[in-house]
Amino acid sequence: MTRDIVRLALLLGLFVAAPVVGDIGSCGQTPEDLDAFKFFAIKAQLDCDRCTACGILSEACARACAPTLDGVAFPVGCYPLAHDGEVCLNALYAASCGAYEEYMADQGATTPTECNFCPLSEGPR
């Protein structure tokens, strides 16, 4: 009887302790660099839609609704993956109007952590 319980516990441990989709960050996707032009075009459209829906009037919203995507790029040394972009856009889509107003503020705008692909490292103190 005790031997059966130990076997069951070991078998159950194999299935319960194994990593699941998402535990390793890739969600089963092959790593692919995020296309900056496509990402910023989609983000601008989403920003404009949310600004309109939430009634946010800011210069950032005006820029999002009339984007100029010339020379868009991620900072030097920043190489986000396509999955990172998907997570960011999903977070923006799910954000409340109050949160979006903070993201689109002309001064002191915040960035959701899901969209902070390459945070600036702090210099020596």
Side-chain angles (χ1 to χ4, degrees):
M1 177 87 160
T2 305
R3 191 177 276 174
D4 291 336
I5 293 173
V6 170
R7 284 184 187 162
L8 180 61
L10 288 174
L11 185 61
L12 188 62
L14 273 173
F15 291 106
V16 174
V20 296
V21 173
D23 278 355
I24 56 173
S26 67
C27 294
Q29 294 177 343
T30 302
E32 176 186 335
D33 288 337
L34 180 58
D35 182 305
F37 184 83
K38 287 181 185 176
F39 172 76
F40 287 114
I42 293 168
K43 183 181 179 302
Q45 183 62 55
L46 177 59
D47 287 345
C48 181
D49 291 347
R50 293 303 307 272
C51 285
T52 302
C54 296
I56 303 169
L57 302 173
S58 67
E59 288 297 317
C61 285
R63 283 190 303 274
C65 291
T68 56
L69 298 173
D70 298 333
V72 295
F74 296 109
V76 174
C78 179
Y79 305 102
L81 299 177
H83 178 72
D84 298 329
E86 293 168 7
V87 170
C88 170
L89 294 173
N90 287 338
L92 291 173
Y93 182 76
S96 68
C97 285
Y100 229 92
E101 192 167 15
E102 292 178 16
Y103 303 153
M104 300 305 289
D106 289 328
Q107 293 182 5
T110 60
T111 302
T113 56
E114 296 89 348
C115 299
N116 197 7
F117 304 131
C118 301
L120 298 173
S121 60
E122 292 185 24
R125 294 182 179 193

